[in-house]
Amino acid sequence: MPARQTRLLRVDPMDPNPEVIQDAARVLRAGGLVAFPTETVYGLGANALDASAVRGIFEAKGRPSTDPLIVHVPGLEDVRPLVRAWPDVLPRLAQAFWPGPLTLILPKQASVPPEVTAGLDTVAVRAPSHPVARALIAAAGCPVAAPSANRFSRPSPTAASHVLADLDGRVDVVIDGGRTEIGVESTVLDLTVSPAVVRRPGGVALEALRALLPDVRLASHVVAEADAQVSPGQLLRHYAPNARMTLFEGPADAVRARVIDEVRARLGHIGRVGVLAPEEDIDLLAREFAAPLAAGAMVVRAYGRRRDPGMGARELFDAIRAFDAEQPEEILAIALAPEGIGLAVRDRLMRAAEGRVITLG
Ligand code: TXA
Ligand code: MG
């Protein structure tokens, strides 16, 4: 892959400087790669109608060309030239959730290059709400294909520093607009099947979709995840820290007791032990393991609260990335309840753990 000189451009996330946006939009129009903040995670954008620019995204990320990209647009009217069907529910979904963290899969128009959709006959579209993303897409004047701006299999980036850690020298521009607000990716809803299917839980809760689509289903792989029926090794390594991770879920008391036992069984037998836990559990763990923590045999990180899964979503990927600096040999993670955005948090943790989930009754 030819090296690129990566320029870092800082903007006010709520009111980005138009000259900076024009600069980045010119790069997109010329076939370059621009990483930019959205309300979910940072995206790595290219002109969606420029097949060669789109191929650059796959090269920069090391992403297999079989994984299709989301096309970002200003709004519903900009979807028309990209799709071949206009289901009744589409305007109602757009009215309720756009701009925002909902991606819709529709039959694609021939104008969308096969590189974008991995040769599929469908295309994923979304109108992001982040002011920087909106300004950039409007200024570019073209639909913008953008996956999350991480190297393949790494946690999605929720800060410009995460993007640079993965993609410095591989993209043309990184727009730094601070931390992203939601922290997990958009909900991917497939409208090409009936009833509609959620292929990836995300920023829009399943419960919210049910208000408009009472019979919406979760894709079988997501349902299996919620039932913890996926066996280890069956899942692609995704969102993963360097260390092997195991996820624990169930009633809070049972999970705390089990994780304490599991940590004890490992201390002194393996290298550093990592624990990822909601804030409610941190004091207990700190008391229980004061000595190994002080000695560096163990490291504990908080992400969100059981009572605040939105905070868990915001902090999750940063916490997973932060473990890499501390190099634990293994990470024991405590899940949040799979409700509201907690379903997306649990899904990402389950994948980071490559399906190693222990469900307590
Ligand atoms: O929040 C987000 O969605 C972020 C920001 C940047 O918008 N983007 C993102 O993109 O997460 P990516 O590429 O990391 O994830 C896109 C997901 C993948 O799981 C992909 O398989 C699915 O959307 N997808 C895209 N097009 C599809 C299609 N035509 N049919 C089925 N799934 C599709
Ligand atoms: Mg991704």
Side-chain angles (χ1 to χ4, degrees):
M1 203 201 85
R4 298 183 195 229
Q5 180 76 39
T6 303
R7 287 190 294 138
L8 178 64
L9 307 177
R10 286 202 178 76
V11 293
D12 176 345
M14 300 316 289
D15 183 21
N17 180 337
E19 283 168 27
V20 175
I21 295 296
Q22 283 300 340
D23 179 354
R26 269 194 302 273
V27 173
L28 283 178
R29 279 197 302 270
L33 301 181
V34 175
F36 60 97
T38 80
E39 68 279 19
T40 56
V41 301
Y42 274 72
L44 177 59
N47 177 354
L49 304 179
D50 178 343
S52 130
V54 170
R55 280 194 293 272
I57 291 179
F58 288 90
E59 267 187 31
K61 281 184 58 104
R63 178 178 175 121
S65 58
T66 49
D67 198 357
L69 307 180
I70 298 172
V71 176
H72 296 70
V73 292
L76 186 57
E77 280 317 301
D78 309 285
V79 169
R80 280 200 191 271
L82 305 175
V83 303
R84 278 184 288 113
W86 205 258
D88 287 343
V89 74
L90 177 57
R92 282 183 284 137
L93 285 167
Q95 175 72 34
F97 300 109
W98 278 9
L102 180 65
T103 293
L104 301 171
I105 299 176
L106 292 158
K108 93 172 184 74
Q109 203 55 271
S111 59
V112 182
E115 282 80 359
V116 172
T117 62
L120 295 174
D121 194 33
T122 57
V123 61
V125 292
R126 140 167 146 84
S129 64
H130 194 294
V132 174
R134 290 180 67 72
L136 178 67
I137 296 163
C142 60
V144 175
S148 51
N150 51 283
R151 287 293 284 268
F152 179 65
S153 92
R154 299 271 302 146
S156 295
T158 54
S161 60
H162 300 163
V163 179
L164 287 173
D166 281 14
L167 298 176
D168 194 10
R170 307 177 75 89
V171 304
D172 300 299
V173 169
V174 175
I175 305 180
D176 183 350
R179 299 233 157 217
T180 62
E181 186 187 314
I182 297 175
V184 293
E185 303 88 336
S186 61
T187 300
V188 176
L189 179 66
D190 190 344
L191 295 178
T192 68
V193 290
S194 182
V197 168
V198 169
R199 304 230 169 262
R200 177 179 71 183
V204 169
L206 182 64
E207 295 87 337
L209 288 178
R210 285 216 171 98
L212 283 181
L213 290 167
D215 52 0
V216 67
R217 292 185 299 117
L218 271 180
S220 57
H221 64 275
V222 184
V223 175
E225 289 155 20
D227 294 343
Q229 290 305 311
V230 180
S231 49
Q234 241 179 288
L235 285 164
L236 218 55
R237 189 175 161 78
H238 213 357
Y239 305 110
N242 294 328
R244 167 193 162 99
M245 183 186 274
T246 305
L247 183 63
F248 295 82
E249 66 180 356
D253 289 343
V255 168
R256 280 188 205 111
R258 175 67 178 265
V259 167
I260 286 172
D261 285 349
E262 299 271 349
V263 172
R264 280 211 191 98
R266 284 169 177 74
L267 283 172
H269 298 285
I270 66 167
R272 183 174 287 162
V273 181
V275 176
L276 178 65
E279 265 186 7
E280 290 97 334
D281 295 351
I282 298 297
D283 284 352
L284 176 70
L285 290 164
R287 259 182 282 130
E288 198 66 36
F289 295 111
L293 281 168
M298 183 179 171
V299 53
V300 175
R301 288 203 160 269
Y303 80 105
R305 301 194 182 102
R306 282 199 176 76
R307 287 165 181 273
D308 188 352
M311 180 182 171
R314 243 178 346 264
E315 296 180 350
L316 179 69
F317 288 137
D318 185 57
I320 292 179
R321 275 179 184 266
F323 272 119
D324 288 343
E326 289 152 341
Q327 303 203 320
E329 185 166 338
E330 227 187 300
I331 299 168
L332 309 178
I334 297 179
L336 303 179
E339 288 147 20
I341 200 167
L343 181 67
V345 173
R346 193 235 175 238
D347 171 75
R348 305 309 186 265
L349 277 168
M350 192 276 311
R351 288 167 193 282
E354 297 171 83
R356 285 181 295 271
V357 181
I358 295 180
T359 305
L360 304 172

